[in-house]
Amino acid sequence: MDTLHANDIASYLDNQRNKETLRFITCGSVDDGKSTLIGRLLFESKCIFDDQLQALESDSRRYGTQGEKMDLALLVDGLQAEREQGITIDVAYRFFATDKRRFIVADTPGHEQYTRNMATGASTADLAVILIDARKGVLTQTRRHSRIVALMGIRHVLLAVNKMDLVDFDEATFDAIVAAYREFAAGFEFSGIQAIPLSGLDGDNVLQHSSRMPWYEGPTLMECLDTVDIGRGTGARHGAFRMPVQSVNRPNLDFRGFCGRIAEGELRPGDSVRVLPSGVQTRIKSILAGFDEVPFAQAGDAVTITLADEVDASRGDVLVASDNPPEVADQFEAKLLWMAEHGMAPGRQYLLKLACMEATATITEIKYREDVNTGARLAAKTLGLNEIATVNISTSAPLVFEPYGVNRRMGGFILIDKLSFETVGAGMIDFALRRASNIHWQALELNKAARAAQKHQNARCVWFTGLSGSGKSTIANLLEKRLHAAGKHTYLLDGDNVRHGLNRDLGFTEADRVENIRRVAEVAKLMVDAGLIVLVSFISPFRNERRMARDMFAEGEFVEVFVDTPLEECERRDVKGLYAKARSGNLKNFTGIDSPYEAPENPEVRLQTAGQAPEIGMDQLFDALE
C-alpha cells in the first residue's frame, strides 16, 4: 500500500507539472465585481483550504458587504485599505487548477488612480477577462483597460457581463452591451471576443450553466479558460534563441557562467551564439539548471551558460543565435503609457530598463496621443497620468531589442525618474528609426584639448542658476569682463537673449522649459568643445535638466553656480516688473510663484547676493575658478 500510495503521489505530481499554465487578468471599471468573480472561481474549483475558509467566514462578518453570506471578494482584497474602501488597489495574484490547466490570475484595480497597477498585471498575461457591470454598460475605464490590454499584446479576451441578476437576467441588455463593446474594440487585434453573461456573486455561468439565463447557450467562464488556445505552439520557444545576461557567475578561477532566463527559443551545447551589442561570436560549452548540467533548455528556463571561448560579456548584454540576431539601435518608435501624476516632458532624461539593459533615455517627440474612448490621434506636447501615445525615444547607448509584437520581453521597457526612482512609464517598441543606423560620429583630427591649449586656458561651462532677479546675469556679465581682461576666450549665453533667436518658439510651460535647457546645454557643449569658457545664465529651475546638462561634460568641466537670493529679495528688486505681473495673474508659469524652483543640493559655488554688491560675488566666483 505504501508503494502504491507513493506511486499515486508521484503520478499526481507529474500530472500537475505537465499541465499548461494560463496567466490571465481580470480588469474593468470600479466595482464591476472582479474580486468577487475570482473568489467564486477559487471557491467553486475547491482551491480554498480549511483555514482560509475559516478566516474568510470571520473576515466576512467584520468587513463583508453581503450580509450573512460569505464575501468571496475578501479572498483577493487583502490590504486593510482595500477592505475598508471596498476597492482593489494593488495587483493580487492567485493560483488555482482544474483537471486540464493550472492558472495564475491577477486581480487588477479598476480605479483610474491605480491604472499603472493594472498595466503591471497585463504585462505578463496571456488572456484578459474584461468585466462590465450590466447596469452601467461600457464605461471610460472599460475602454482604457481594453486599450491597455491591446497595447500589452494580449490577443484573447473574455467579455464578462457581470451582475446580470441586477437587471433581471435580461437578454436584450446583454446583447446591447456586447454590441457596443464589439463596435469599440473593432480596431484592436484581438483574436476573438467571447462574451458571457454571468453573476459572480451567485455563480451563474461561472462554472455551471445558469438556469436563470436559458437563452445563453455558449460556454461558461471556466470552460473558456480551460479550452482557449493561446497559440504557444508558434510562440517564443520556437523562435531564435535570446537570453539577456542577468549576472556573471564566477565562484572560482576555473568557472565563468552567464546567468539569465531564456526569453525566446531553444538552446543546446555546441550551438553558435553571439554576444550583443559587441557582436562577438562563440559556442555554448554547457548549460546548467541549478547545479545540474542539462542537454537542453528553452524559453522560460532560468539557466547558467558557459561558453567555449573567453569573451567579454556582462549584465545587460544579450546572448543570441548567431544566424538570426535581433536588432541593435539607440532610437526607436514606441507606444508609451504614462503612469505618473507628474506629466511627461519631451527632452527630459529618464532611466530606461529593457530586460537586463539600462540606459538614459529621452522622449524626443510625441507623434500623437490616443483618445481613450475613440482611439483618435491627437496632437500633444506632454503626457498626463494614464495617457497613451506613440513617441520617438533616443537612448544614451545602443540597446538589443525586438518589436514588442514579436517578443514581449525584448520589446517592453519601463521608464524611471532619475531623481525619485519612481516608475513613470511603460513602453512597447515598434521599430528602430532609420536615422539610428544612418548617423555616425565623424572622426576629427583637432580635439577640445588642442583648441583650448591654443587659447592657453581650460575649457569649461560655468552654469548660473537662481530665481529671476537673483543677480545671475549681472554677475555673469561682470565675470566675463574680468575673464576677457585676463586674456581668456569666453562667451555668455543669457536666458533672455537666447529666447530672441534659438528658443524663440518656446514658451514657459514645464515642457518648454525642459526643451529650453536641453538646447542651451547642447550649444554650451559645442562651445566648450571649441575650447571656450562658456558662461550660461538661465533660471534652469529643475534639477533633472541641470543634471542632464552636467552629464554632457567631462569631469571638472561643469561648474554649477547657485545664485542664492531669497524670493522676497528678488521680488523687492523686480527689475523687469515680472513678479508684479505674476502676482496679479497676468503672467502664468512664473518660477517661484506658480511654477517651482528646485534649488541645487551640491553646487560647486553658492553666492548669496542679498545685501551685498554683485562685484563681491563676482570676485568670490573668480577666485573659485582660479
Side-chain angles (χ1 to χ4, degrees), residues 3-19:
T3 302
L4 287 175
H5 184 63
N7 290 338
D8 289 342
I9 293 176
S11 176
Y12 172 79
L13 292 176
D14 285 340
N15 180 51
Q16 292 298 316
R17 277 194 294 267
N18 292 330
K19 285 182 183 178

Side-chain angles (χ1 to χ4, degrees), residues 50 212 332 441 605:
D50 288 342
R212 299 190 286 186
F332 314 92
W441 280 103
V605 179

Side-chain angles (χ1 to χ4, degrees), residues 176-303:
I177 291 173
V178 173
Y181 185 84
R182 289 187 185 277
E183 180 182 0
F184 157 73
F188 300 149
E189 297 179 1
F190 292 148
S191 299
I193 300 174
Q194 175 65 56
I196 306 171
L198 53 82
S199 169
L201 182 64
D202 297 327
D204 295 82
N205 287 335
V206 178
L207 267 73
Q208 304 294 330
H209 285 87
S210 172
S211 60
R212 299 190 286 186
M213 289 178 279
W215 45 266
Y216 175 71
E217 298 178 350
T220 65
L221 178 65
M222 185 56 78
E223 287 173 347
C224 287
L225 294 174
D226 263 339
T227 59
V228 63
D229 180 9
I230 54 177
R232 287 208 179 113
T234 58
R237 69 184 62 188
H238 293 280
F241 168 70
R242 279 93 171 94
M243 190 191 86
V245 176
Q246 184 173 351
S247 66
V248 179
N249 185 3
R250 194 74 187 273
N252 55 59
L253 296 177
D254 299 321
F255 183 88
R256 189 165 184 251
F258 301 92
C259 307
R261 185 179 297 277
I262 298 176
E264 186 173 357
E266 301 173 342
L267 189 67
R268 292 176 174 82
D271 286 355
S272 178
V273 295
R274 292 182 188 273
V275 180
L276 292 182
S278 69
V280 176
Q281 187 169 334
T282 183
R283 290 190 175 276
I284 299 299
K285 180 179 179 181
S286 64
I287 307 170
L288 290 88
F291 294 101
D292 301 322
E293 193 167 324
V294 295
F296 168 80
Q298 64 182 5
D301 292 345
V303 295

Side-chain angles (χ1 to χ4, degrees), residues 602-624:
N602 296 294
E604 279 75 12
V605 179
R606 181 188 298 266
L607 301 178
Q608 295 178 322
T609 66
Q612 71 176 21
E615 287 79 7
I616 297 176
M618 184 273 292
D619 289 338
Q620 293 173 352
L621 179 54
F622 185 83
D623 292 342

